[in-house]
Amino acid sequence: MTADRLIYLPLGGAGEIGMNAYVYGYGKPGKERLILVDLGVTFPDMDTTPGVNLIMPDITWLADNADRLEAIFITHAHEDHVGAVGRLYPRLKAPIHARPFTRYHAQRKMEEAGQVPEVVIAADSYPQVIEAGPFKVSFLPLSHSIPESAGLVIDTPAGRIVHTGDFKLDETPVLGDPFDETLWREIAKPGVKALVCDSTNVFSTHPGRSEAEVGPELVKLISEAPHMVVATTFASNVARVKQLAEAGKAAGRSVCLLGRAMRRMIQAGVETGILGDFPTTVSVEDARDIPRESLMLIVTGSQGERRAASAQLARGKYMGLSMAEGDMFLFSSKTIPGNERGVIRIMNAFSEMGVDMVAESDRYHVSGHANRPDLQRVHDIINPQMVIPMHGEHRHLREHAKLVEEGGRNALVVVNGAVCNLTGDTPHIVEHVDTDRIYLDGDILIGSLDGVVRDRIRMALNGHVIVNVIVEGDDPLGDPWVELMGLPETGKSKAPLVDVLEEDLGQFLMRAGRKTLRDDDKLGEELKRLARKSTNDEIGRKPEVTVVVSRLE
């Protein structure tokens, strides 16, 4: 008789930072009852995913086994953990559990996607237990860069799992839950089979700093600024936004919040009761009339997002407000790898205005993730039988595994799509499932293999030629006509490229045999081949070609 097994399967978030989705299962192989931890997004870029709105994990395997899915648990309200809930819920249809602040955001995601928000259920913290098939799950309060973050204590018939989610060890986090070592040791006391652990900052060799250390530095910096101060940070880092606002007030400035995401996060904090004493702010209309040396703006766009308030200020003006020489712009944030170009573009634009910038300084920002010494401390507190690194690029996972093994414990790098058996004394990969990405393109979900984005990239790189011909029977009527998009108007021959193509294609039609002229597919392929060749001869580029054959009966 086949024994039950405990499995771990990342569908996103293992080998990348973003798009988190982790499956746990217990039962007979292929019949395990399942739970899902997090369902997030990652963000597109113009180089690899032009025009795409959001990128989500491919949950095809889980959707095909949705009848086995007991519940979904969301650890915190960052987009890379909750952003796909509304769009992908219809394929899963399982109850969703989250702490109140996270629930607020998950319900909003459901409403935006036209789903019923009530399926997101508010959860209390440990020791409250949520039963989901063979799993008993508790939310472990911990510190991160957004309020009410949580790890999960997952009890199974094969042993206890601690899934950290995103975390740092902060005993004075300003907002949210402080690190409670006594509680962590209590959770570890019965014995932990597997610690599935955040790997983001494994290369940072110094212990993490507390959010409370940032406040005094902000007060000093803003008090000494002679003109208007503008600061940006992650809108979700409510504690930092609060500290920035308090620093502005301490410096005798009026504070104005700019950007929808910023206002929405503060509203969520107030409505869920975690943010009862946020400093009074002024409206953007009032801000326009306040002397510059008495004004502080807190704005969205710390990662260079083109539509956010920071980028719009860098382009000249936002809601009637603009930067001027001698103003100060503070990045109270760290640039996420991959976002450097957008951030540098903003910095250069401000530099040209004469704005003084403060960026990439540890004095005004602390990370929301545990650094290398903090990870070692957690390994020792939890003392698990094995550690599975998660939430990181492959280099982070591998380095974290090495750190674990240096401490004398078992570790295994498990990437997206790998089914890991946690049942025995050591973890091992037993099978793989297909994982890829789903794109939100406008209002439609498409697969990465559907070819839509691939064709868009090809058109962007090579341009586009449209060839129109009219045929009656086996006789072409008139000459073909050509339209160009994204291509130079003239080539090596100095003649208009349109004229060159129409001449070459017209010559071909005059020579084409009856068999070719009667076959739309064959005629289209020959015209496409010749259009690409002629364009390459003229400008050294092979464009995408669309042939429209109109046939008169």
Side-chain angles (χ1 to χ4, degrees), residues 4 21 31 53 60 66 68 72 90 124 181 183 201 227 265 267 278 305 310 319 348 387 409 506 527:
D4 291 342
K31 297 181 179 178
N53 300 70
T60 299
R68 295 158 50 194
I72 300 168
D124 291 331
E181 184 171 340
L183 176 59
N201 280 0
H227 300 294
M265 277 290 173
Q267 179 186 354
F278 193 83
E305 301 93 330
S310 295
M319 299 186 75
N348 282 323
V387 177
R409 297 181 178 88
L527 288 168

Side-chain angles (χ1 to χ4, degrees), residues 64-270:
D64 289 344
N65 293 282
D67 59 325
R68 295 158 50 194
L69 181 63
E70 299 281 355
I72 300 168
F73 297 88
I74 308 297
T75 60
H76 64 283
H78 276 148
E79 289 292 311
D80 61 329
H81 293 259
V82 72
V85 163
R87 293 284 179 175
L88 299 184
Y89 173 78
R91 299 175 63 189
L92 301 176
K93 293 290 181 75
I96 302 169
H97 301 273
R99 297 181 71 191
F101 183 81
T102 306
R103 177 184 184 237
Y104 178 97
H105 292 282
Q107 287 189 319
R108 184 170 53 80
K109 296 294 179 188
M110 294 288 280
E111 288 172 348
E112 289 171 355
Q115 305 300 317
V116 178
E118 285 73 23
V119 301
V120 186
I121 304 163
D124 291 331
S125 299
Y126 181 90
Q128 187 208 35
V129 171
I130 299 166
E131 296 196 10
F135 300 95
K136 295 181 179 179
V137 182
S138 295
F139 282 85
L140 169 63
L142 42 76
S143 303
H144 185 40
S145 53
I146 191 170
E148 286 195 349
S149 295
L152 297 175
V153 181
I154 305 170
D155 284 320
T156 79
R160 173 166 285 187
I161 297 169
V162 175
H163 180 106
T164 66
D166 294 5
F167 78 101
K168 63 177 179 176
L169 304 186
D170 190 344
E171 296 178 358
T172 53
V174 179
L175 276 180
D177 302 288
F179 170 60
D180 184 348
E181 184 171 340
T182 302
L183 176 59
W184 284 58
R185 291 193 179 279
E186 178 185 329
I187 285 164
K189 195 171 183 180
V192 174
K193 172 170 276 293
L195 173 67
V196 183
C197 190
D198 182 3
S199 307
T200 310
N201 280 0
V202 68
F203 289 108
S204 298
T205 56
H206 55 84
R209 295 166 55 239
S210 172
E211 181 68 33
E213 295 179 34
V214 177
E217 296 288 350
L218 292 173
V219 172
K220 185 172 184 293
L221 177 72
I222 295 166
S223 297
E224 294 174 353
H227 300 294
M228 187 170 75
V229 174
V230 182
T232 186
T233 189
F234 299 96
S236 58
N237 193 341
V238 179
R240 182 71 49 76
V241 176
K242 180 184 179 186
Q243 290 206 99
L244 285 166
E246 288 174 341
K249 284 289 186 182
R253 294 173 181 265
S254 298
V255 176
C256 178
L257 301 179
L258 285 184
R260 186 177 60 178
M262 190 78 69
R263 295 192 302 272
R264 194 162 52 196
M265 277 290 173
I266 299 304
Q267 179 186 354
V270 171

Side-chain angles (χ1 to χ4, degrees), residues 18-37:
M19 208 172 70
N20 295 278
Y22 307 96
V23 176
Y24 292 94
Y26 183 82
K28 297 286 185 289
K31 297 181 179 178
E32 297 94 348
R33 304 305 297 175
L34 309 170
I35 59 172
L36 174 64
V37 178

Side-chain angles (χ1 to χ4, degrees), residues 4-8 25-26 135 156 158 161 193 420-423:
D4 291 342
R5 66 179 184 178
L6 173 63
I7 60 170
Y8 162 75
Y26 183 82
F135 300 95
T156 79
I161 297 169
K193 172 170 276 293
C420 179
N421 191 333
L422 304 175
T423 315

